[in-house]
Amino acid sequence: MELYQKTAAELSAMLKNKEVSSVELTKAAFARTAAVEDKVGAYITLTEEHALETAAAIDAKRAAGEELAPLAGVPVSVKDNICTKGIRTTCASRMLENFQPPYNATVMNRLHDAGLVMTGKTNLDEFAMGSSCENSALQKTHNPHNLERVTGGSSGGAAASVAAGEVSIALGSDTGGSIRQPASFCGVVGLKPTYGTVSRYGLVAFASSLDQIGPFARSVEDAALLTDVLRGYDKMDSTSYPREYDSLHAGMNADIKGMKIGLPKEYFGEGISEEVSKAVLAAAETYKQLGAEVVEISLPLSKYALPIYYILSSAEASSNLARFDGVKYGYRAEKFDGIIDLYVKSRSEAFGQEVQRRIMLGTYVLSSGYYDAYYKKARAAQRAIRADYNKAFEQVDVIMTPVAPTTAYKIGEKTSDPLQMYMGDICTVSVNIAGLPAMVQPCGFDANKLPIGMQLIGPRFGEQKLINAGLAYEKASGLSNIVAL
């Protein structure tokens, strides 16, 4: 087995036993990237020189007998909306095409302190707005399982880098499913943590009350290991939750006898493809065989989740992206007549169509006369959806649903119909609205050999339940560490 086919946990063990060095691992990662990147297009920026320097420093610490974190020396890719000091952070937009942050995101400092080796910055839908990774202004990313298909989005580059074996783990961000949907399309594990458990400081904001950084991996164990690195209170983020977190990796337990798993009837009806429904329901049968109790539940307000999400997220995007005005940093129009014309031309020339669409929608719902009719009502409905989930978790430990209505569709198939594209988020957005944790992992393949994912949703701070339930299914099904190409 080649190094690129191993999980992060396996690589960690090899490093600890000195069967391989971090420099050798890093060189192997870049060799694999050189072999497949022309086909996949996962990265916007590669940081080979920086990575090799980091790897050499970790090897020196290991040789000196220093105690290192479990993932020290393991390569990781990072979504390009997470600030990296002195390294280009573009958000896949012409607005920030040459922007180099003067500071690191908190998660980058956590990766550094844990000794991980960043290989580069991965592609995404511009400013994380999209569900297919086709809205990137800089390049196209292709699904490693079928190069004519989308990766999902917005974290499509990160998911593809893991699925193609360029790295074993990656960082993404999730505002309405942007980790989970590409994880499903690319056949990898993706975890969206509880809102407030991972610092958002240094994550370029799309919708601040919904955004959350999380891991991609090819196994549940790897997802647990990387989440352990990321979680923790941060005084730089006013939404960071002050509490101590037990190690998810140390708490892993595949014995789920007696666990109650809920199947919400609203997620298995019209609009969900038969192949997807069958695969998720088959996984539910596996859970029964493992000793879990599977029951039907109802989340009646889930039908309102999509409009609530697009009102709230667009309103916050309108506010957050107002800072990109052509004055302080980012793109500036070359020709303009006065300050207002500078604003208009800089934003019109640098923002892509989808970003402009959401800014316009958000500005509309926040405008005088419409705030009460749309934004205020959406906030009230958000509280109702949270209550809906709280009621469900009085009955069950974990909720299980499909991730997306279909498997990965063809590149260009939905770009002319934004409403159809938005419908692809129907199974994921309510989790962000409620601030809950959710994990996606493979549960089968369709007739075209494209991955199908299942989603496990937990109560607030219930990541350990997700990890344990996911681990149990992974062991029973053998669906893990899937490398395409």
Side-chain angles (χ1 to χ4, degrees), residues 164-182:
E166 294 176 301
V167 286
S168 57
I169 47 176
L171 287 197
S173 68
D174 192 309
T175 308
S178 290
I179 288 174
R180 290 163 288 148
Q181 191 239 32

Side-chain angles (χ1 to χ4, degrees), residues 38-107:
D38 285 349
K39 299 173 186 174
V40 177
Y43 287 96
I44 290 175
T45 303
L46 287 166
T47 54
E48 186 167 2
E49 184 178 344
H50 177 268
L52 288 169
E53 287 174 3
T54 304
I58 294 299
D59 285 341
K61 288 181 179 181
R62 200 180 299 276
E66 290 190 31
E67 188 173 339
L68 299 174
L71 291 177
V74 176
V76 59
S77 66
V78 176
K79 186 177 180 179
D80 203 20
N81 62 345
I82 297 172
C83 286
T84 44
K85 184 177 180 180
I87 296 171
R88 196 167 67 128
T89 300
T90 69
C91 291
S93 176
R94 301 224 175 275
M95 180 61 79
L96 293 176
E97 190 169 1
N98 298 304
F99 174 61
Q100 292 188 10
Y103 67 98
N104 264 335
T106 294
V107 291

Side-chain angles (χ1 to χ4, degrees), residues 26 71 108 144 180 192 259 282-283 286 289 330 338 360 440 447 466:
T26 304
L71 291 177
M108 294 310 302
R180 290 163 288 148
K192 181 259 170 204
M259 178 180 278
T286 300
Q289 294 165 16
M360 289 173 68
V440 165
L466 301 183

Side-chain angles (χ1 to χ4, degrees), residues 220-342:
V220 172
E221 181 181 14
D222 286 1
L225 282 166
L226 188 49
T227 306
D228 281 343
V229 173
L230 301 176
R231 292 199 302 177
Y233 174 67
D234 179 22
K235 66 180 181 180
M236 302 298 288
D237 175 4
S238 63
T239 62
S240 180
Y241 199 82
R243 63 172 286 173
E244 294 296 318
Y245 295 96
D246 294 329
S247 167
L248 294 173
H249 187 256
M252 286 195 314
N253 182 357
D255 183 2
I256 57 163
K257 288 184 177 67
M259 178 180 278
K260 280 192 172 182
I261 298 174
L263 296 178
K265 60 185 180 182
E266 293 84 2
Y267 283 73
F268 293 90
E270 187 180 350
I272 306 298
S273 81
E274 188 178 352
E275 283 184 298
V276 170
S277 286
K278 278 185 175 179
V280 177
L281 292 173
E285 288 300 316
T286 300
Y287 275 121
K288 287 181 183 178
Q289 294 165 16
L290 292 170
E293 184 182 348
V294 179
V295 297
E296 183 178 87
I297 61 169
S298 179
L299 293 170
L301 297 181
S302 58
K303 62 185 177 182
Y304 301 115
L306 210 57
I308 292 167
Y309 170 78
Y310 277 99
I311 289 171
L312 296 179
S313 65
S314 297
E316 294 185 24
S318 169
S319 176
N320 279 326
L321 271 64
R323 70 194 70 179
F324 301 110
D325 55 12
V327 176
K328 296 178 284 294
Y329 56 89
Y331 178 87
R332 174 185 280 204
E334 289 186 9
K335 296 179 181 179
F336 52 89
D337 184 16
I339 188 69
I340 300 301
D341 197 40
L342 168 64

Side-chain angles (χ1 to χ4, degrees), residues 371-416:
Y371 178 90
D372 286 351
Y374 292 103
Y375 185 78
K376 193 173 179 181
K377 281 185 178 177
R379 278 289 178 216
Q382 179 181 30
R383 290 190 290 273
I385 282 184
R386 285 176 179 162
D388 218 14
Y389 271 111
N390 289 340
K391 186 178 178 182
F393 283 121
E394 290 174 3
Q395 307 170 53
V396 298
D397 298 303
V398 170
I399 294 170
M400 183 178 177
T401 74
V403 185
T406 66
T407 52
Y409 43 87
K410 288 183 179 179
I411 293 172
E413 187 177 326
K414 298 187 179 183
T415 48
S416 61

